[in-house]
Structures are given as structure tokens and as C-alpha cells.
Amino acid sequence: PKMKEDNCLHAALICLGMLYYSHAITTEKPNHARPSLHGHHEKGKEGQVLHRSKRGWVWNQFFVIEEYTGPDPVLVGRLHSDIDSGDGNIKYILSGEGAGIIFVIDDKSGNIHATKTLDREERAQYTLTAQAVDRNTNRPLEPPSEFIVKVQDINDNPPEFLHENYHANVPERSNVGTSVIQVTASDADDPTYGNSAKLVYSILEGQPYFSVEAQTGIIRTALPNMDREAKEEYHVVIQAKDMGGHMGGLSGTTKVTITLTDVNDNPPKFPQSVYQMSVSEAAVPGEEVGRVKAKDPDIGENGLVAYSIIDGDGMDMFEITTDYETQEGVVKLKKLLDFETKKSYSLKVEAANVHIDPKFISNGPFKDTVTVKISVEDADEPPVFLKPSYIFEVQENAASGTVVGKVHAKDPDAANSAIRYSIDRHTDLERYFIINAEDGNIKTIKTLDREEIAWHNISVFAVEVHKQHQEAKVPVAIKVVDVNDNAPKFAAAYEAFVCENARSNQQFITISADDKDDSANGPRFIFSLPPEIIHNPNFTLRDNRDNTASVLVRREGFSRQKQDLYLLPIVISDGGLPPLSSTNTLTIRVCGCDSNGSLLSCNAEAYVLNAGLSTGALIAILACIVILLVIVVLFVTLKRQKKEPLIVFEEEDVRENIITYDDEGGGEEDTEAFDIATLQNPDGINGFIPRKDIKPEYQYMPRPGLRPAPNSVDVDDFINTRIQEADNDPTAPPYDSIQIYGYEGRGSVAGSLSSLESATTDSDLDYDYLQNWGPRFKKLADLYGSKDTFDDDS
């Protein structure tokens, strides 16, 4: 109601002002002296042109209230010129911003009305131009003049905040008055006119925790020691009201979400005073035993807790680590446990904050302790050897059954079960050893040789009698102790050379020895000659006392013709207990040398050859042998390169006269249809069919003396001869090109047998001569030999 009254009062004052201005215009005398914006030219009595000052409009600024919603257009003001006498000859014209659309003018009276509702927030003022013209001629009576129509503000816009929702954080336990956030609202009304845009902030929701400054909109804490753990988020509603907060003003609101951020104001706390845990004695180091957790209501780094063991009899057996994902302390086994030795342990565990805020150090201490009791559970354990490994010694060549050593294991459980022993045969494939299953004594089965295997590494199993799955394994290393059972020998296969012109006491070779036994049984080798040749006239031996010996020449004048090879026995003894020795033979060859002692030849046969043959003769013999070898190689090469033609063309080869008739008719006379296999290969009757598709290993040249004369009448012999030559000829093709009748055609005694020349009627030829052609033509002779026979057959 108060706001309405203020608005009505305001509107009344504006109306009174407008009426006053309107009255002033209507009561204005035409000749009233005012500042003129436009001048007139007048003539004086003497005809001179008089200049007077410009006349102006009565005013140049009007006011109109915004948001006017009356039934009639609102009167903005009235324009009047000094030269208007009121006879209606002057016409007022309005132009400019909104002229004719928003503002209209009565061209006679000059009254200006607003036809539309105006909004100051949309447009605060309009610039218009007024002009007075002669109504009849439209001649301007005054120059145009500008004036302004201002839109007067009313409180029609509520305050608006920049954001509909605000979010802010403030640390918990903050002091009263701590600034949280500033909210700002704006009002579209005119801040220079009245209190329409004067804002006042107030809090509608959020008391008593927060407050807001009325003029600035800054939100501050209003209560001390606000605890995030009790309530973390607050919703505050802030109101902004114009008109200075008085009644009748408009308002707007916004929501502010305020979150308390965490500070380390709470120490960690264990929910219980004692934790009970258990672990098997079979657990391995690193295995988890259990977990403890101290609760800290703080979050983030303020809630981080680190765990440690500060006391207890299990500090050496257990350790604790921190799981930062779950904020738990993980108790782990550090060493192996033994139920039979100790059955329980006690730990004192501390949980402390990692990060401490000095502001709240008085709330401390930021740590807590708890007791952890751990009981050890008995487990069925495998046997345990008294030693982690065993090393035994046994002499080589010891008799089978010799005791090497003894292993021992026991059952760590309270039951103390009996133990049985065995050897892992994968580690003793040759079965050198055996173990007594009852007492663990290891003995040899075979004789050992240190020079073959110096160490034997085996594994021994121990299992409980009643629980076969419980077993233990221990490595056993057996050293084979050396016995002096190998005599020393030459370190290499020595072969010495001595010059024929060697000087007396000249050294020509140094020898050394090797012993397979250990160095303890051969620290030094002694070299000597056998007693029977100690006074050898040719060579002598000198022991260098450094495990080497030198062989020297005792005399001068060796000759290859007399003796080119000497065998010198040398005795080598070792320093073992008892010492062993061996006799080794050194081969010494006599060689020819030059004056400087360089070897020339050690071949004694060279002197024998010189006595019988000279060097020239030997060279000649070698040259002859080389020449013969070259000739043989050339002969073989030429023989391989020589290639025979597949078909031998001879001048008198009867096959050159053979003519094949491709158009012969059928019948017995048709040679193409007749089986000529018998004529081609008579030997095939006896089962012998030579191969024609391969080349034989040995070539047989055809016998030239078997070729018959062309005029021979012995056709049977001729055909057999040609068949034999063709069968034995490796150059012949793998097919027979010879025909049945070699002398068919002109000049043949038998004449032509071709059916082409046969008469169409019965022939009167005499075929009796076929009787003389041998048994192969007996069938033909029987068929054609007599007329009667022929007639009978036909």
C-alpha cells in the first residue's frame, strides 16, 4: 500500500508540473521577449533592413513518465512560436526520433502527445525537431529547432543477481566474520533518479551460521567452530531489494551453496583396544597376518594415517605396513615361526596422522595406540635336516661298501615321527652310492676314480613314515680324495732330432711330464735314465729340477747310413706316497744339418738312391710318367666327346629303296596291316627281346662282310642278316623301318606284290617259286603255290 501511495504521489507531481508548463505556454504573449533560436528580417522606416535577435521555442526539453497506461494519449507538452498570432496561419511540423509513430503533434496548437507506452530501460530519451511553416505556402517561418523528450523513470525493474546459484567454500572451524563470497545484484532502473536502483542485501535463509553485508553483499561466517564432520554443506538464500530496502521496493533472490572444507582437527582413533590374530607356523615371510584400522573422520591428506610397531615381543618377527587406499595397517610375517618354540606374540601398534595442522595442535595428540596379540598355530611340518647341506670325503679306489658319511633329519612336530632316507636317483644316475633308510649312513657301491669324477653331488630325501607327503631334501657333496695311482708320463708325444755334426754335450730337446693325480701326489717329477743304460755312450739326461729335463749328446759323429733312429728310455718318478714311476721312450732321429745347425734332411733312403740312379735319371723317369698320363687323359676325353649318329646312312642300304604306299588297300597284301614283328625280330621267338629305347653299354659295329649283294635271291638270309644288324646296332632308332619285302619293285625277281598293280580279275601268276624261299614263306606257298589250291580256298 505504501508503494502504491508513493507511485500515485509521484504521478500527481508530474501532472502538476506538466499543467504548469502548459499554462505558461498558453499565457505567453506573442511579443514576450525570449531567447530566439530563429531570427526574422524586418525593414525600418527609412527602408533599412533591421536585424533582430533570433526567437526560440518556449522550451527545448519535455518529460514523460514511463509505463503510462492511461486510456488517452499522454500530453507531453506544447510547442509555441513567438510569431504565432493564433489566427491558424502557422502550421507546426514534428520530425526526428519517434515522430509520427510514438509522438504526434497538433499542427495548429502545437500540443505533443505520446501514443505508446514508453520504457526508460529500453530508451531513456528521444531527440525531435520542430518547425513552424506557413500553412498556405509551407514556407518555413522559423528555422527548425531540436528539443529532447526525456522518459522519466519509475521503479518497474526488480534487482537481478549475476548468477542464479553460487557455490563457495570456507574452512571449517573458521573465525566469526570470515569472508565466504560476495554476491552482486543489478537494477535496470535509473540510479540517478530516486531510490529505484538503490539496493540493500539481506539473508533469508542460512541463519545463524552466516550473515551478509547489506551494502556490499559479502557473506560472512556468523558462528564459531563450525564442524565439517557434523555438517558439511549449507544452503543460504540472499535477497536484494531496491528503494533502499523500504516498503514498496522490488526484490530478487539467489541461492548460495557453502561447503565447509576439511582441516585436520580430529586425531585417529582405534575402535577397539585389542586385536586378536593368528598365523600358522608354516607361513612364509611376507605373508599377511591381519589388519588394523584407526578411524579418522578427516578426509584427504588430513585423514592419512601411518602405522608402526613401537613395542612388543614380536617386533623382530612381524612388521606392519600402511595400505593408503583403505587406510589400514597390514601386519605381515617377517621371519619363520616355530610353534614348538613360541606359541604367541604381542605387538603395540601406533597410528598417527601424516599431516598435522599447527592451528589445531592443541586438539592433539594426533595418534593412537592399540595392542595386537598374535597366536601361532601348529602346522604339520616336513622333516628338517640338522644341516642345510653336507660335505663328505672318501678316498678313491676305496672298496665297495665304504662309509662316506651320515645325514640326519628330525620331525619338528610334537609327534616326532620316524624318518626314512633315500637318494634322489636323478642325482646319482650311475648308482655310486647307497643310503641306509633307517640311520642315514651313505656308503659306496662302486669303486670311485678321482681322475674320472672328483666331486659327486647328490640329493637325499627324508620323509615321515606315516606321512609320505611330508618330505625334505638336502644336498650332499662328496669329495673323492686323491690316491697316488697314476704314474707320470710325457706331457706330449716327443720326437727329437739330432744333427750328424752335433757337438758333444749339446742339448737338443727339453721334455716335461704330466700326472693325472692331484698336485699333492706329484709336486715334483724326477727324470733319470734306467740303470742298465746309465752309461749310454750316445746320449745323457739332465734333470732341471723344475719338472723338466734336458737331453744332451754325449759323443760326436752320428751317421744316417749307419743308424738313423735311436730309442732312449727315460724313467719319470712323482713325489707321491708311495711314489710311482714310469718308463717313457724318446724317439731320436739323426738328420743332416748345415753348418749353422739347421735341419736339411732326415731321410736315410736318399743315400741309397744316389748310389744307383742319378738325379737326371730320376727326372727323366718322372717326365715319362707325366707324358703317359697326359696321353691317357686326352684319349679318354676324345673318346667321350665322339658321338655316333643315331642312324647310319650307307650307300647300299636297301632301306633307301623302300617305298611306302600310304594309299594301299586292305587285304593280306597290305604290309601296314600285316604283323611283321616276327620278321623284324626272329630272336623274339625264343623270349629274347633286346631293348631299343636305351643305348647299350658296349657298342658293336655292324659286320660289313654280312651285307648281301643286291641281286641275291636268298631273301631269308638277307632278312635275318638285316634283323641281326638292326638288333645289335646301338645307333638304330627304337623302331623298325624295314619292310617285309626288301626287293619289291622294278628289278625284283619276285615282282611287285602291291595290290595297286593287281588285276581286277583272277591272276594267272605262278607262285610256285615261293617254295624255294624257305620255311618262313611256307604258308604263302601253300596258299598260292597251285591254281587248284587257290581255287579251292576261294
Side-chain angles (χ1 to χ4, degrees):
K2 183 178 181 180
M3 183 176 179
K4 290 183 179 180
E5 291 177 0
D6 291 343
N7 288 338
C8 293
L9 180 61
H10 188 204
L13 291 174
I14 293 174
C15 292
L16 289 175
M18 292 176 65
L19 291 174
Y20 171 77
Y21 292 142
S22 193
H23 176 73
I25 292 174
T26 56
T27 57
E28 187 72 33
K29 297 282 181 80
N31 57 355
H32 191 274
R34 292 183 179 279
S36 178
L37 298 177
H38 307 283
H40 295 273
H41 298 284
E42 295 182 356
K43 292 184 179 181
K45 294 180 178 180
E46 295 80 16
Q48 296 177 351
V49 177
L50 299 178
H51 296 275
R52 64 176 181 174
S53 60
K54 295 181 180 179
R55 297 181 181 273
W57 301 108
V58 175
W59 53 33
N60 60 357
Q61 181 170 306
F62 298 106
F63 293 90
V64 60
I65 192 168
E66 68 171 335
E67 305 293 347
Y68 177 75
T69 58
D72 299 326
V74 61
L75 177 64
V76 178
R78 180 182 180 188
L79 298 179
H80 184 73
S81 177
D82 293 343
I83 61 175
D84 187 3
S85 59
D87 55 5
N89 291 329
I90 295 179
K91 179 182 179 180
Y92 294 98
I93 299 174
L94 185 65
S95 62
E97 298 173 345
I101 300 174
I102 300 176
F103 301 103
V104 295
I105 189 169
D106 188 344
D107 60 356
K108 291 182 179 181
S109 63
N111 292 331
I112 301 173
H113 290 82
T115 62
K116 294 184 178 181
T117 301
L118 302 180
D119 187 359
R120 189 201 68 84
E121 286 71 40
E122 182 179 346
R123 188 165 188 145
Q125 66 181 22
Y126 297 86
T127 302
L128 299 171
T129 301
Q131 190 174 22
V133 299
D134 187 275
R135 185 176 295 275
N136 297 321
T137 63
N138 285 332
R139 183 175 62 85
L141 299 178
E142 291 283 348
S145 179
E146 288 186 354
F147 65 93
I148 297 173
V149 177
K150 287 190 176 181
V151 182
Q152 194 167 7
D153 181 54
I154 65 172
N155 189 20
D156 59 342
N157 289 281
E160 293 183 358
F161 284 93
L162 298 179
H163 303 285
E164 184 178 355
N165 292 288
Y166 289 85
H167 295 274
N169 298 322
V170 64
E172 64 174 332
R173 307 286 182 181
S174 296
N175 297 327
V176 175
T178 302
S179 176
V180 180
I181 191 175
Q182 183 178 12
V183 294
T184 304
S186 61
D187 196 319
D189 292 326
D190 189 359
T192 62
Y193 181 78
N195 294 327
S196 298
K198 185 177 181 180
L199 305 181
V200 175
Y201 298 94
S202 62
I203 183 168
L204 300 182
E205 295 181 15
Q207 301 97 338
Y209 305 103
F210 300 95
S211 63
V212 63
E213 291 183 357
Q215 305 300 326
T216 61
I218 296 176
I219 301 175
R220 300 181 182 275
T221 58
L223 284 181
N225 298 324
M226 283 190 293
D227 190 3
R228 184 200 65 82
E229 289 73 31
K231 185 176 181 180
E232 183 176 8
E233 191 173 82
Y234 296 84
H235 298 282
V236 178
V237 178
I238 303 296
Q239 180 190 65
K241 189 174 183 181
D242 58 12
M243 298 300 292
H246 296 92
M247 294 190 62
L250 303 179
S251 63
T253 60
T254 185
K255 294 181 180 179
V256 183
T257 302
I258 301 176
T259 303
L260 298 182
T261 58
D262 185 63
V263 297
N264 190 12
D265 59 338
N266 294 281
K269 186 71 176 177
F270 284 105
Q272 59 195 66
S273 59
V274 178
Y275 283 88
Q276 295 286 347
M277 299 180 185
S278 61
V279 60
S280 172
E281 65 171 333
V284 296
E287 186 172 334
E288 180 179 329
V289 178
R291 295 188 174 219
V292 297
K293 184 175 182 179
K295 295 183 178 180
D296 190 334
D298 297 323
I299 60 175
E301 67 176 13
N302 297 319
L304 294 179
V305 179
Y307 298 88
S308 60
I309 299 175
I310 59 176
D311 197 5
D313 57 0
M315 293 183 64
D316 296 335
M317 304 300 295
F318 300 92
E319 61 183 355
I320 190 168
T321 59
T322 303
D323 186 347
Y324 287 101
E325 292 185 1
T326 61
Q327 291 298 303
E328 295 177 322
V330 183
V331 180
K332 295 182 179 180
L333 183 63
K334 192 176 180 180
K335 296 181 180 179
L336 290 174
L337 300 172
D338 187 8
F339 172 80
E340 288 72 26
T341 303
K342 188 173 178 62
K343 297 178 176 59
S344 64
Y345 295 89
S346 178
L347 301 174
K348 188 175 184 181
V349 176
E350 180 184 78
N353 277 140
V354 177
H355 302 282
I356 299 176
D357 193 340
K359 296 180 182 179
F360 305 99
I361 193 69
S362 60
N363 295 356
F366 288 87
K367 56 185 177 181
D368 193 17
T369 58
V370 70
T371 300
V372 179
K373 294 184 178 181
I374 303 173
S375 60
V376 182
E377 297 178 350
D378 189 20
D380 190 8
E381 300 175 83
V384 177
F385 283 94
L386 299 184
K387 295 182 180 180
S389 63
Y390 292 86
I391 299 177
F392 300 128
E393 293 184 355
V394 61
Q395 284 192 344
E396 65 173 329
N397 303 327
S400 177
T402 300
V403 177
V404 176
K406 181 180 181 180
V407 298
H408 184 68
K410 66 176 183 178
D411 182 12
D413 298 324
N416 195 16
S417 300
I419 305 298
R420 294 293 179 265
Y421 303 94
S422 63
I423 295 177
D424 183 1
R425 287 305 170 188
H426 293 92
T427 61
D428 186 25
L429 296 176
E430 299 295 331
R431 294 185 175 270
Y432 286 102
F433 306 97
I434 191 174
I435 190 171
N436 190 310
E438 302 290 340
D439 56 13
N441 276 321
I442 301 174
K443 297 180 181 180
T444 61
I445 302 177
K446 299 179 180 179
T447 302
L448 305 179
D449 187 0
R450 189 203 69 87
E451 287 71 40
E452 182 179 351
I453 303 176
W455 284 87
H456 293 267
N457 296 303
I458 64 174
S459 296
V460 175
F461 288 113
V463 297
E464 297 181 14
V465 174
H466 302 294
K467 299 175 182 177
Q468 298 294 326
H469 64 282
Q470 295 289 0
E471 68 175 12
K473 187 177 182 180
V474 68
V476 178
I478 301 174
K479 180 182 179 181
V480 181
V481 180
D482 183 50
V483 174
N484 192 19
D485 57 346
N486 290 278
K489 296 181 180 179
F490 277 158
Y494 294 107
E495 187 173 1
F497 302 91
V498 64
C499 295
E500 290 180 308
N501 55 358
R503 299 185 305 274
S504 178
N505 293 327
Q506 180 181 351
Q507 176 183 334
F508 59 89
I509 190 173
T510 299
I511 59 176
S512 61
D514 188 15
D515 195 335
K516 294 182 179 181
D517 292 323
D518 192 18
S519 59
N521 288 312
R524 181 182 177 278
F525 299 118
I526 301 172
F527 300 86
S528 63
L529 295 177
E532 59 272 15
I533 61 167
I534 191 67
H535 300 293
N536 187 304
N538 299 316
F539 306 100
T540 183
L541 183 70
R542 181 180 64 203
D543 192 339
N544 297 326
R545 297 183 179 275
D546 59 354
N547 292 333
T548 64
S550 300
V551 182
L552 298 87
V553 177
R554 175 169 286 185
R555 65 179 178 85
E556 297 180 355
F558 290 91
S559 175
R560 281 180 289 174
Q561 289 83 358
K562 294 181 180 180
Q563 186 174 353
D564 63 341
L565 185 67
Y566 293 89
L567 299 178
L568 180 65
I570 298 175
V571 178
I572 307 175
S573 301
D574 58 22
L577 292 176
L580 295 179
S581 63
S582 65
T583 302
N584 302 264
T585 302
L586 177 64
T587 301
I588 303 173
R589 292 185 178 277
V590 180
C591 302
C593 304
D594 57 11
S595 59
N596 296 326
S598 300
L599 294 177
L600 295 178
S601 175
C602 296
N603 194 352
E605 284 76 5
Y607 292 94
V608 179
L609 292 176
N610 290 337
L613 295 175
S614 63
T615 303
L618 292 175
I619 294 174
I621 293 173
L622 292 176
C624 292
I625 293 173
V626 171
I627 291 172
L628 289 175
L629 290 176
V630 171
I631 292 173
V632 171
V633 171
L634 289 175
F635 178 77
V636 172
T637 303
L638 293 175
K639 191 70 174 177
R640 289 183 178 179
Q641 292 180 350
K642 183 178 179 181
K643 294 183 178 179
E644 296 293 340
L646 293 176
I647 300 177
V648 180
F649 294 94
E650 299 181 9
E651 294 180 358
E652 298 181 0
D653 191 349
V654 72
R655 287 178 292 182
E656 294 178 355
N657 299 326
I658 295 174
I659 299 174
T660 302
Y661 296 95
D662 296 331
D663 55 349
E664 286 186 61
E668 294 179 347
E669 292 83 7
D670 190 350
T671 59
E672 293 295 327
F674 190 75
D675 185 9
I676 63 173
T678 304
L679 296 177
Q680 289 177 336
N681 189 11
D683 295 333
I685 301 174
N686 299 326
F688 173 76
I689 301 176
R691 295 285 298 273
K692 297 298 189 300
D693 56 343
I694 60 174
K695 186 177 180 179
E697 296 182 1
Y698 302 96
Q699 299 183 2
Y700 299 94
M701 300 301 293
R703 294 176 295 175
L706 297 177
R707 186 181 297 119
N711 56 357
S712 176
V713 295
D714 190 358
V715 179
D716 189 15
D717 293 340
F718 169 77
I719 291 176
N720 290 333
T721 301
R722 301 307 292 177
I723 290 174
Q724 183 178 4
E725 289 180 356
D727 291 341
N728 296 326
D729 185 5
T731 62
Y735 56 86
D736 290 324
S737 62
I738 193 167
Q739 297 296 331
I740 301 171
Y741 306 106
Y743 290 93
E744 183 180 9
R746 293 180 180 180
S748 174
V749 177
S752 177
L753 298 180
S754 174
S755 61
L756 294 176
E757 296 179 2
S758 301
T760 57
T761 60
D762 293 337
S763 177
D764 295 335
L765 294 176
D766 185 7
Y767 295 98
D768 291 337
Y769 61 86
L770 293 175
Q771 298 290 342
N772 299 325
W773 282 18
R776 294 182 181 272
F777 295 89
K778 187 178 183 303
K779 184 67 174 177
L780 292 175
D782 293 339
L783 291 174
Y784 300 100
S786 64
K787 183 86 161 93
D788 297 335
T789 306
F790 178 78
D791 293 339
D792 295 338
D793 294 339
S794 61

